[in-house]
Amino acid sequence: MASVHLFSSPYFSSLSSNRSTYRSSSSLGLKSIQRSRKIKVPVCTAASVVFRNLEADDFRHPLDKQNTLILRAIPGLNELGKALLGTITEQVMLLENIGTSVLVSKNQLVDLHQLMVEAAQILNVEAPDLYVRQSPVPNAYTLAISGKKPFVVIHTSLVELLTKKELQAVLAHELGHLKCDHGVWLTFANVLTLGAYTVPGLGGLIAQRLEEQLFRWLRAAELTCDRAALLVAQDPKVVISVLMKLAGGCPSMADQLNVDAFLEQARSYDKASSSPVGWYIRNAQTRQLSHPLPVLRAREIDEWSRSQAYKSLLNRATQMNVVQKV
């Protein structure tokens, strides 16, 4: 699920470093929805628990921690990123969304607003602005630039594809990026990579190595944000269902998809890639991806949902009252 990319192959997003300002988290072409169709999302009236004192490191994936330390060790990364990303770029992104999307609020698409407010309360993070954008490509992404209030964008086709609980899991994934400061990191690093490619000689080599490290970090960061989605959904099958639908789902056959079968598919992938040749092919397949493969993400979230760390977080949480209409 960075500041412009959602689910990688499909899932959640944030401005990702793929040599483009925007990157769709899910590049699956699904049937375009009718423009005249009204977006109606039944709202969740209550969640099981809320994490009042939740910190990012409470659920951060070990690979995210490891790769974040590596990025922080790169001299001048933040400073150079800030210099390359100016106010003009920020304004272009902001005006693009304001001009072409619908801003969700207590007076506009109230049910979606409620889903975001509730997810933010559960994760103990400030709710960002939320925009809905017309697009046949299921996607969601987050933009966090220059310390300004971040915002999340979701596409109409994603609303059509998912149930209300699944949609809230996507919003929680995006909130995970903000909770862990992924958006700013990825935005800066993305621009730095683009800038390095313009440097003659070693510039391209530096950028290539940096890009590989950034993608490795982002794949790990996505695993962290899948955990944020689980903390809000509090049901691993909801998160896995989102991954499954983004990998190969459409509204007309969504009710025929089977989460258990998808998990079995993930286990078969692990088995097929366990040999030396399979391991090499698997690494070659994922090396240039900004997000982990959907089956691997499904396996990861299934395993974490059974872990003592997740159970301990639930034990620390407190009961959440019914969210009042805002």
Side-chain angles (χ1 to χ4, degrees):
M1 159 115 126
S3 269
V4 169
H5 196 142
L6 177 65
F7 253 129
S8 163
S9 48
Y11 191 142
F12 311 120
S13 171
S14 302
L15 238 165
S16 78
S17 53
N18 194 26
R19 307 182 194 175
S20 63
T21 304
Y22 286 84
R23 176 185 174 86
S24 104
S25 63
S26 181
S27 345
L28 304 174
L30 294 185
K31 189 175 182 180
S32 178
I33 66 171
Q34 296 178 1
R35 292 179 179 271
S36 60
R37 188 170 181 179
K38 182 180 180 181
I39 297 177
K40 179 64 176 177
V41 182
V43 69
C44 297
T45 56
S48 301
V49 295
V50 59
F51 302 91
R52 299 294 184 191
N53 302 308
L54 184 69
E55 299 293 338
D57 284 342
D58 290 338
F59 62 92
R60 197 186 299 269
H61 195 282
L63 291 177
D64 185 2
K65 294 180 181 179
Q66 175 185 331
N67 285 283
T68 296
L69 290 175
I70 293 174
L71 279 185
R72 286 177 177 169
I74 300 175
L77 177 63
N78 275 352
E79 291 74 16
L80 184 54
K82 290 177 182 179
L84 292 172
L85 186 60
T87 56
I88 294 179
T89 303
E90 176 185 347
Q91 283 299 106
V92 168
M93 294 177 181
L94 179 61
L95 292 175
E96 167 72 11
N97 282 285
I98 292 178
T100 62
S101 307
V102 174
L103 175 62
V104 176
S105 71
K106 60 183 180 181
N107 299 316
Q108 182 74 273
L109 298 175
V110 181
D111 290 348
L112 281 175
H113 175 68
Q114 190 76 7
L115 290 179
M116 174 62 87
V117 168
E118 185 183 78
Q121 288 180 341
I122 294 172
L123 293 176
N124 191 30
V125 65
E126 182 180 355
D129 287 338
L130 175 62
Y131 289 89
V132 176
R133 189 167 192 169
Q134 183 70 240
S135 175
V137 180
N139 192 22
Y141 54 88
T142 300
L143 289 171
I145 307 169
S146 302
K148 301 294 181 63
K149 185 175 182 179
F151 58 90
V152 172
V153 179
I154 61 172
H155 290 175
T156 50
S157 53
L158 189 65
V159 177
E160 295 290 318
L161 179 63
L162 304 179
T163 67
K164 66 178 184 296
K165 290 184 178 180
E166 292 166 352
L167 186 58
Q168 189 174 55
V170 170
L171 296 177
H173 177 105
E174 297 306 315
L175 289 172
H177 283 303
L178 298 175
K179 182 80 175 178
C180 299
D181 291 327
H182 288 160
V184 174
W185 261 96
L186 194 54
T187 301
F188 292 165
N190 182 42
V191 176
L192 177 61
T193 301
L194 293 172
Y197 270 108
T198 65
V199 180
L202 292 179
L205 179 60
I206 293 173
Q208 181 180 355
R209 291 182 177 177
L210 179 57
E211 183 181 61
E212 290 179 1
Q213 181 56 51
L214 287 171
F215 279 3
R216 190 177 299 115
W217 170 80
L218 179 54
R219 289 192 295 269
E222 291 300 311
L223 297 178
T224 292
C225 294
D226 288 345
R227 292 181 172 188
L230 177 58
L231 290 176
V232 170
Q234 293 157 27
D235 181 353
K237 288 194 173 184
V238 171
V239 181
I240 295 169
S241 181
V242 176
L243 293 163
M244 177 177 59
K245 287 182 177 180
L246 288 171
C250 68
S252 64
M253 62 180 186
D255 60 344
Q256 300 179 49
L257 292 170
N258 186 311
V259 168
D260 293 328
F262 192 64
L263 283 173
E264 183 59 35
Q265 179 181 333
R267 287 187 280 271
S268 67
Y269 181 86
D270 283 339
K271 183 177 180 181
S273 60
S274 61
S275 68
V277 174
W279 179 88
Y280 178 82
I281 294 174
R282 172 174 168 171
N283 280 314
Q285 184 181 23
T286 60
R287 187 176 181 181
Q288 293 302 317
L289 294 177
S290 61
H291 288 47
L293 296 173
V295 291
L296 299 182
R297 294 172 71 177
R299 182 207 61 196
E300 280 282 336
I301 205 64
D302 179 60
E303 291 180 353
W304 193 63
S305 71
R306 303 169 189 272
S307 71
Q308 188 57 48
Y310 174 66
K311 294 175 182 177
S312 296
L313 278 176
L314 291 181
N315 289 335
R316 282 173 41 192
T318 57
Q319 192 68 31
M320 183 180 187
N321 295 326
V322 174
V323 177
Q324 300 299 320
K325 289 190 176 180
V326 188

